[in-house]
Amino acid sequence: MRPILMKGHERPLTFLKYNRDGDLLFSCAKDHTPTVWFADNGERLGTYRGHNGAVWTCDVSRDSMRLITGSADQTVKLWNVQKGTQLYTFNFGSPARSVEFAIGDKLAVITTDPFMELTSAIHVKRIAGDSTEQTEESVLVIKGPQGRINRAVWGPLNRTIISAGEDAVIRIWDFETGKLLKESDKESGHKKTITSLTKAADGSHFLSGSLDKSAKLWDTRTLTLIKTYSTERPVNAVAMSPLLDHVVLGGGQDASAVTTTDHRAGKFEAKFYDKILQEEIGGVKGHFGPINALAFNPDGKSCSSGGEDGYVRLHHFDPDYFNIKI
Amino acid sequence: MAAEVMLMNEIEATAAQMGIDMNIDFSSIQLPPGENCGIISDDDDVYHDDQLEFDSGFGNVIVVDNLPVVPREKFEKLEGVIRKIYSQIGVIKEDGLWMPVDPETKKTLGYCFIEYNTPQEAELAKEKTHGYKLDRAHIFAVNMFDDFDKYMKVPDEWAPPEIKPYTPGENLQKWLADEKARDQFVIRAGTDTEVLWNDARQSKTEPVYKRTFWTESFVQWSPMGTYLATVHRQGAAVWGGANTFNRLMRYAHPQVKLIDFSPGEKFLVTYSSHEPSNPRDANRVVINIFDVRTGKVMRDFKGSADEFAVGGAGGVAGNSWPVFRWGGGKEDKYFAKLGKNMISVYETETFSLIDKKSLKVENVVDFSWSPTDPIIALFVPELGGGNQPARVSLVQMPGKEELRQKNLFSISDCKMYWQSNGDYLAVKADRYTKTKKSTYTGFELFRIKERDIPIEVLELDNKNDKIIAFAWEPKGHRFAVIHGDNPRPDVSFYSMRSTHNLGRVAKLTTLKGKQANALFWSPGGRFIVLAGLKGFNGQLEFFNVDELETMATAEHFMATDVEWDPTGRYVATSVTSVHEMENGFNIWSFNGRLLYRILKDHFFQFLWRPRPPSFLTPEKEEEIARNLKKYSKKYEAEDQDVSMLLSEQDREKRRMLKEEWEKWVSEWRRAQEEEKLERQKLRDGEASDEEEEYEAKEVEVEEVLDVSEEVLSFEE
């Protein structure tokens, strides 16, 4: 089916997130306004105004009531999804790069960039059920990895936190003690900055994408490398189908080099791979400029991509897609 | 340290206490020259050989003999004369001139020592003044100080050399006997150099040998594929062997820049250029010619860069390498160098000039050898403002007889193209129009093998077309020309044998408006790839010249290089590191089907391993071509077996992968089930765990919107 082109952002997209029911799609971009769309027809439902910098990331609670966004304006904000009002603002001394609610939505993990004298850090905040009782206090702060931490997510049962970033190493931290439990192997692991990390629906495994032109699939509990998907481009975004054994990689050359080369050179395609056989099965073209964000609808029947060109493209899959055999 | 994992921040804190910078980028570390961190390079012995020469520290001292013997009164005058002669060549060290005096007679002893700043200067002084005539009785004999030592050490009695028992060498041609008749190629990417089999049947490569830092600048196959040459700071080396690559020989030549094999791979020419001590002088050039098998220097040439700049005074040929061009086919009999108003032709039996003198040709600017015969084609441009026409002549070696000469008028430029069998020579001549404002191009076609070497003039249909590329069909009688204007030039094919008259050139066809700027004939002829490199972004057209039809068009985006394998079965196109993106290579079948593609960052070189010429007679080859069906049966059967095996292996591999995956999935399910209760607790007892077993159901809902009753009249 023809993709639905969703125009609304004025700057490159940075992040996409579906709610659990799969009826809403939240998008973040370098303009300052996260936007919510109907995931079915791509109609714009509303915006969340209040940030004063590029918005890098967001997450939505399981009940689709609350949205959390992290921005380069050094704040993380909690929003009322329905009304678009700000519930609370966490202030940091440096830009917030990633946020994620824990299982149960009572905790959130936030990563902040190295900035001025500050090193990068992973913060865990308690999220109050009633936002009037919300406090600034951190439950845990982890510092250590060199460079930016591009993504931090919760492990099973909120017991661990998985982080990845510029130093190309994936680390698993103990949430109780803040101690480092595991590090990915230098030999088999990524060689360059890890740009994205996404968990499987059940959290049992996760996929990481890196500028070393590959994506890798890991077991969440043991940090065992299971699969490697290699491509021709630096990978900016990854997504996993919850329905079929497919993974999608999006990327392209550095945004600053886009205008200096032919558009074909960039290969701004979202590439579909067979998750088990690691073979490429198809691609979706369309964006002008690299793809920065990818997300699968939880029903696995549609996916969306966000590009450096400022558009979100929503793809509802044709019936053929569900019968791909290789 | 305890086995427990230390936190990064703890490590850093400790490091900060100790004042250690943790931000180490290992790739940025460059060892100082001469430092190897205790890792011994296997090239070290070459280093040592080099240094031995300077161990005595007198490498910069020369001894000048046969000086006049003078009494004390004349001592200063003589010293002045010597100083004057030798300080012209280099800087003599302070107190570097010492002329010993006989303590009894107070006369000089007829020799002196001169110490220069560098061994190079000393070497140069020796070369320049050895045999210098001060007067009739005093002809200088100049030697390096170190040489005395060396020759003094020669034992007085001749000892018979130890005869080593003969050990048969490896079969260096074993790769030709590959069961699957595959070809090899070498690639260089990053710091790795790799030799691989092209296993086209399985659409992949098979590794042969790989080595990191194998070469310091580039690699090169010898013309018949026996050796792979690598280039290092200390010299060049060749590698080969039956199943792997061992170093067979080394050729010491410090700072070697360029290398070139003779066509029969008997000799290796190495070239280096050195900064002069006096910045006003031209660079000093050293060229060595080695015997490939023994590693001996057969002849060396030293001089200023000007002497070895090809084309004499600003000639037509811009390319200055190889300086020495080899002639006489695979027998490596002759090599020649272009000089000012002459061509110096050497023969390899004695490594001296033929007849002890160069071939004098006033104002010659370019020459080229026939690929098979000892014939030189040379070009002399117009002189005296057009009074003396330009000319192309063919000269036979070693007799130096002129076989044929052709005068050409109002010529601006000229290029010579030999057909690979030496049957034809095409001279592309750019002529001025009457106004001299622009040029047009014509071809002079020489039929070398026919009596009296007839010449035919060919002009294109539109003679104002610019020629973009020209190429002879290897071993054939056809040639292809790209002509016209960018961006869509035309490609024309001509044959030297027209259907009615074997002695006439005839046009076969013209393809209009092709995106091509380079021509690549298959080594077996018949097929050609019209390639649009650089500006055309890698357009490829595979064309069959026998049928005059296009077999396939394709694109290898940004391709920079195209090379046929030596058998003409496959074509490799590559994107080298001149581009940042897309680095790697594609392998195509001769008819333009993409077989496989491999991407490598920092891709520098792709070279097919050449094959020596076939031993089959032309008659035998023709017979095989006629009965191809009979011969190909065996290979077709093999192909089928391979594809069967391949699909079998593929299925097996996939089954394994699926099984492995199932194991993971069941493991995850188990863990998921175990944690179910705890997860519910985290969610305040919300039982729904459905996101883990999400199932989309399509539900059809029928809704009654409106019910209305209407009475219809019914007529009977």
Side-chain angles (χ1 to χ4, degrees):
Chain A
M1 210 169 100
R2 273 176 70 88
I4 298 168
L5 192 60
M6 292 146 75
K7 303 174 187 176
H9 285 292
E10 291 164 357
R11 296 284 316 277
L13 268 285
T14 56
F15 198 79
L16 290 167
K17 178 82 191 175
Y18 281 91
N19 68 342
R20 189 173 70 101
D21 303 324
D23 61 341
L24 300 179
L25 173 64
F26 296 89
S27 63
C28 304
K30 286 187 185 169
D31 59 19
H32 307 164
T33 1
T35 303
V36 59
W37 317 75
F38 278 115
D40 185 49
N41 58 10
E43 216 172 293
R44 187 159 69 162
L45 191 58
T47 54
Y48 300 89
R49 291 184 187 276
H51 273 302
N52 198 21
V55 182
W56 293 120
T57 177
C58 72
D59 196 16
V60 61
S61 65
R62 186 177 156 94
D63 56 8
S64 302
M65 294 302 284
R66 270 181 293 177
L67 178 74
I68 185 166
T69 55
S71 162
D73 66 4
Q74 312 190 349
T75 65
V76 169
K77 287 181 192 288
L78 279 170
W79 309 81
N80 181 317
V81 169
Q82 275 175 301
K83 296 180 187 158
T85 50
Q86 286 180 45
L87 299 175
Y88 192 78
T89 302
F90 299 98
N91 285 298
F92 296 92
S94 61
R97 183 64 55 171
S98 96
V99 292
E100 198 196 38
F101 282 125
I103 300 170
D105 297 329
K106 291 191 198 62
L107 294 165
V109 59
I110 299 164
T111 67
T112 53
D113 289 352
F115 189 67
M116 310 289 274
E117 281 93 58
L118 291 171
T119 57
S120 57
I122 303 168
H123 308 260
V124 179
K125 303 276 185 189
R126 206 167 284 288
I127 305 295
D130 181 351
S131 55
T132 53
E133 290 164 21
Q134 183 64 48
T135 60
E136 180 94 337
E137 227 175 301
S138 289
V139 182
L140 174 73
V141 179
I142 302 169
K143 286 183 184 169
Q146 286 290 326
R148 209 155 70 195
I149 303 167
N150 282 324
R151 195 94 184 106
V153 296
W154 291 96
L157 300 177
N158 301 347
R159 281 179 187 157
T160 54
I161 292 167
I162 303 154
S163 76
E166 270 183 341
D167 63 359
V169 180
I170 297 173
R171 295 190 175 81
I172 297 187
W173 311 83
D174 188 308
F175 167 56
E176 291 298 324
T177 61
K179 281 237 161 65
L180 179 64
L181 296 176
K182 286 192 176 71
E183 267 188 20
S184 62
D185 184 33
K186 280 251 161 50
E187 274 298 300
S188 61
H190 284 294
K191 301 285 181 287
K192 287 186 183 167
T193 298
I194 298 169
T195 50
S196 53
L197 193 156
T198 182
K199 285 190 289 184
D202 64 357
S204 59
H205 53 289
F206 66 88
L207 183 67
S208 60
S210 160
L211 298 184
D212 67 5
K213 302 181 185 175
S214 74
K216 288 175 191 282
L217 192 75
W218 310 80
D219 178 67
T220 312
R221 292 178 178 86
T222 59
L223 200 60
T224 315
L225 178 65
I226 304 173
K227 303 278 179 197
T228 298
Y229 311 93
S230 16
T231 169
E232 300 164 14
R233 305 285 128 227
V235 179
N236 293 343
V238 291
M240 262 190 283
S241 167
L243 189 64
L244 301 173
D245 285 321
H246 292 168
V247 300
V248 192
L249 316 183
Q253 83 225 73
D254 195 27
S256 62
V258 169
T259 50
T260 62
T261 41
D262 192 291
H263 68 98
R264 282 170 300 174
K267 294 251 167 66
F268 309 123
E269 282 179 57
K271 292 255 191 218
F272 282 68
Y273 284 76
D274 188 287
K275 195 177 188 174
I276 303 168
L277 304 177
Q278 306 167 82
E279 284 169 43
E280 191 181 318
I281 47 182
V284 180
K285 286 181 199 173
H287 282 288
F288 181 80
I291 291 172
N292 290 339
L294 281 169
F296 251 100
N297 190 306
D299 70 4
K301 292 184 178 174
S302 64
C303 82
S304 55
S305 56
E308 189 75 17
D309 56 3
Y311 294 126
V312 178
R313 298 175 79 92
L314 178 62
H315 307 271
H316 287 283
F317 298 120
D318 291 328
D320 296 347
Y321 166 80
F322 301 99
N323 301 320
I324 297 175
K325 284 269 175 321
I326 55 168
Chain B
M1 205 203 290
E4 162 195 331
V5 185
M6 205 170 169
L7 266 180
M8 272 301 281
N9 48 9
E10 285 175 25
I11 297 170
E12 260 177 36
T14 326
Q17 269 173 22
M18 295 159 72
I20 300 166
D21 185 7
M22 288 289 284
N23 302 312
I24 300 167
D25 176 8
F26 282 99
S27 60
S28 72
I29 298 174
Q30 287 208 326
L31 295 177
E35 172 61 71
N36 59 7
C37 278
I39 306 158
I40 294 154
S41 152
D42 58 353
D43 290 329
D44 254 9
D45 36 0
V46 175
Y47 256 130
H48 291 167
D49 286 354
D50 273 359
Q51 278 160 2
L52 272 181
E53 286 180 32
F54 306 113
D55 267 355
S56 61
F58 296 119
N60 52 346
V61 179
I62 55 170
V63 184
V64 184
D65 227 328
N66 276 351
L67 295 175
V69 177
V70 294
R72 197 154 27 155
E73 306 83 70
K74 285 192 173 174
F75 180 92
E76 278 191 10
K77 192 176 176 197
L78 180 62
E79 199 187 50
V81 169
I82 294 167
R83 194 177 284 278
K84 198 173 163 194
I85 294 169
Y86 283 95
S87 57
Q88 281 170 359
I89 293 160
V91 181
I92 298 173
K93 270 196 179 171
E94 212 173 309
D95 296 329
L97 176 63
W98 182 49
M99 191 153 42
V101 177
D102 189 324
E104 284 172 23
T105 60
K106 304 288 180 204
K107 279 183 178 178
T108 63
L109 293 168
Y111 57 87
C112 75
F113 301 91
I114 298 169
E115 188 177 4
Y116 280 105
N117 267 332
T118 63
Q120 284 80 14
E121 284 171 314
E123 183 93 8
L124 189 70
K126 178 195 146 188
E127 261 170 56
K128 285 220 168 166
T129 61
H130 184 69
Y132 178 86
K133 280 184 187 169
L134 193 65
D135 55 49
R136 190 181 292 241
H138 299 101
I139 299 169
F140 284 7
V142 186
N143 285 295
M144 301 296 290
F145 183 83
D146 281 345
D147 286 350
F148 279 91
D149 236 19
K150 197 161 95 192
Y151 295 121
M152 292 292 279
K153 277 186 197 153
V154 175
D156 289 341
E157 289 218 3
W158 181 77
E162 203 181 317
I163 295 166
K164 285 185 194 152
Y166 172 72
T167 46
E170 275 185 278
N171 178 3
L172 299 180
Q173 254 106 27
K174 190 154 177 241
W175 97 97
L176 292 168
D178 179 49
E179 272 178 17
K180 297 175 207 158
R182 298 170 300 180
D183 274 290
Q184 288 185 352
F185 56 85
V186 65
I187 56 168
R188 215 154 56 74
T191 53
D192 291 345
T193 304
E194 235 178 308
V195 179
L196 301 160
W197 288 108
N198 166 35
D199 206 330
R201 266 183 190 152
Q202 308 197 34
S203 289
K204 63 180 180 112
T205 59
E206 195 189 307
V208 180
Y209 187 77
K210 178 176 177 173
R211 206 173 151 123
T212 309
F213 299 114
W214 199 354
T215 177
E216 281 172 40
S217 48
F218 60 92
V219 291
Q220 188 174 328
W221 292 105
S222 63
M224 294 201 274
T226 314
Y227 310 104
L228 182 72
T230 56
V231 180
H232 308 267
R233 228 169 315 161
Q234 304 92 337
V238 295
W239 306 70
N243 298 310
T244 178
F245 281 81
N246 300 315
R247 184 163 51 210
L248 301 174
M249 189 52 73
R250 284 191 295 217
Y251 312 96
H253 185 155
Q255 267 125 59
V256 58
K257 287 267 148 39
L258 297 164
I259 59 170
D260 180 41
F261 280 96
S262 66
E265 50 185 46
K266 284 201 187 77
F267 304 104
L268 177 75
V269 187
T270 58
Y271 167 96
S272 67
S273 139
H274 305 269
E275 289 282 323
S277 52
N278 182 346
R280 272 172 305 177
D281 294 346
N283 278 8
R284 270 176 55 71
V285 166
V286 179
I287 297 175
N288 286 324
I289 302 180
F290 292 94
D291 183 305
V292 168
R293 269 167 296 188
T294 62
K296 270 202 196 105
V297 180
M298 304 308 289
R299 171 100 200 233
D300 58 344
F301 297 87
K302 291 174 188 172
S304 80
D306 300 341
E307 288 172 54
F308 291 95
V310 168
V316 198
N319 202 354
S320 61
W321 184 254
V323 170
F324 290 104
R325 302 180 198 171
W326 293 87
K330 301 260 178 226
E331 283 149 40
D332 295 347
K333 266 196 177 147
Y334 309 104
F335 58 100
K337 171 179 90 74
L338 191 62
K340 203 169 184 182
N341 296 334
M342 63 183 182
I343 297 172
S344 308
V345 186
Y346 301 82
E347 46 90 16
T348 54
E349 228 148 86
T350 60
F351 277 87
S352 56
L353 286 168
I354 293 180
D355 304 337
K356 302 215 165 48
K357 54 178 186 270
S358 297
L359 182 65
K360 288 267 180 245
V361 189
E362 283 295 316
N363 290 306
V364 60
V365 292
D366 195 13
F367 78 97
S368 70
W369 285 96
S370 156
T372 48
D373 304 294
I375 299 174
I376 284 180
L378 57 89
F379 170 64
V380 181
E382 226 162 48
L383 287 175
N387 287 337
Q388 211 175 320
R391 88 188 138 94
V392 170
S393 34
L394 296 173
V395 180
Q396 174 97 44
M397 289 297 150
K400 301 186 181 174
E401 311 95 44
E402 189 162 81
L403 297 175
R404 193 73 162 87
Q405 183 191 331
K406 167 94 182 184
N407 288 341
L408 302 163
F409 295 91
S410 43
I411 291 288
S412 75
D413 194 6
C414 165
K415 280 224 162 60
M416 293 174 279
Y417 302 93
W418 284 93
Q419 185 256 12
S420 71
N421 284 356
D423 291 344
Y424 312 108
L425 169 70
V427 174
K428 185 190 104 183
D430 294 342
R431 290 188 172 84
Y432 290 113
T433 50
K434 281 215 176 92
T435 58
K436 291 225 169 187
K437 274 182 184 152
S438 58
T439 59
Y440 66 97
T441 307
F443 291 96
E444 312 279 332
L445 303 165
F446 292 67
R447 292 170 194 273
I448 308 292
K449 299 282 162 81
E450 281 169 39
R451 212 166 69 92
D452 295 338
I453 311 189
I455 301 173
E456 198 172 345
V457 180
L458 172 73
E459 274 179 1
L460 297 177
D461 296 346
N462 176 3
K463 62 182 188 178
N464 292 325
D465 274 359
K466 241 177 51 197
I467 307 292
I468 296 164
F470 176 97
W472 283 103
E473 177 182 36
K475 301 177 196 161
H477 55 88
R478 294 177 286 209
F479 60 88
V481 187
I482 305 181
H483 55 95
D485 291 319
N486 281 331
R488 298 192 81 86
D490 300 340
V491 183
S492 293
F493 294 93
Y494 291 85
S495 168
M496 293 297 282
R497 299 184 206 153
S498 58
T499 34
H500 308 294
N501 187 344
L502 285 182
R504 298 269 319 158
V505 63
K507 191 168 95 170
L508 298 171
T509 190
T510 296
L511 311 172
K512 290 274 182 203
K514 290 288 170 197
Q515 290 202 349
N517 51 19
L519 297 164
F520 298 93
W521 281 95
S522 157
R526 190 168 161 197
F527 306 112
I528 189 168
V529 175
L530 317 173
L533 307 176
K534 292 174 200 144
F536 289 135
N537 287 345
Q539 296 290 334
L540 304 169
E541 180 163 346
F542 295 76
F543 193 81
N544 180 338
V545 185
D546 272 6
E547 309 293 332
L548 295 176
E549 63 179 17
T550 301
M551 296 184 291
T553 53
E555 185 192 46
H556 181 188
F557 189 63
M558 288 304 195
T560 54
D561 296 273
V562 176
E563 199 187 357
W564 283 85
D565 87 320
T567 59
R569 293 177 296 174
Y570 307 104
V571 182
T573 58
S574 46
V575 180
T576 55
S577 61
V578 290
H579 294 298
E580 207 177 309
M581 310 291 286
E582 311 277 332
N583 277 199
F585 63 91
N586 286 6
I587 303 286
W588 310 77
S589 66
F590 73 97
N591 55 2
R593 194 162 57 85
L594 180 62
L595 300 174
Y596 59 96
R597 81 192 244 111
I598 290 182
L599 293 164
K600 295 238 178 216
D601 273 350
H602 303 288
F603 191 72
F604 299 116
Q605 266 190 309
F606 180 104
L607 292 172
W608 288 103
R609 187 171 194 173
R611 283 168 177 256
S614 162
F615 285 120
L616 297 176
T617 57
E619 294 78 40
K620 182 76 182 165
E621 271 185 35
E622 204 166 302
E623 192 248 295
I624 292 173
R626 243 186 290 118
N627 301 320
L628 194 62
K629 282 239 167 69
K630 194 176 87 195
Y631 289 99
S632 65
K633 225 174 231 154
K634 178 183 138 202
Y635 296 101
E636 272 160 21
E638 273 178 25
D639 280 357
Q640 198 153 13
D641 289 351
V642 168
S643 80
M644 293 267 282
L645 187 71
L646 215 57
S647 51
E648 186 55 42
Q649 281 173 348
D650 234 29
R651 270 200 294 278
E652 181 64 16
K653 201 180 112 201
R654 288 179 177 200
R655 202 179 54 76
M656 295 273 288
L657 283 171
K658 290 247 171 158
E659 261 175 30
E660 195 189 322
W661 181 254
E662 285 307 321
K663 239 196 283 173
W664 277 109
V665 170
S666 64
E667 172 67 24
W668 289 330
R669 283 234 178 85
R670 197 184 51 74
Q672 190 71 9
E673 202 55 40
E674 271 174 23
E675 292 168 358
K676 191 168 180 176
L677 278 177
E678 285 189 60
R679 200 161 42 240
Q680 279 184 17
K681 218 157 68 193
L682 283 171
R683 288 189 179 133
D684 298 330
E686 192 184 333
S688 163
D689 222 8
E690 77 182 56
E691 73 178 17
E692 286 81 21
E693 300 106 36
Y694 196 98
E695 212 175 293
K697 280 183 194 150
E698 267 185 40
V699 185
E700 262 181 52
V701 182
E702 268 179 50
E703 223 174 292
V704 182
L705 296 172
D706 190 19
V707 181
S708 67
E709 274 181 40
E710 219 175 304
V711 181
L712 295 170
S713 62
F714 193 74
E715 277 175 39
E716 235 177 289

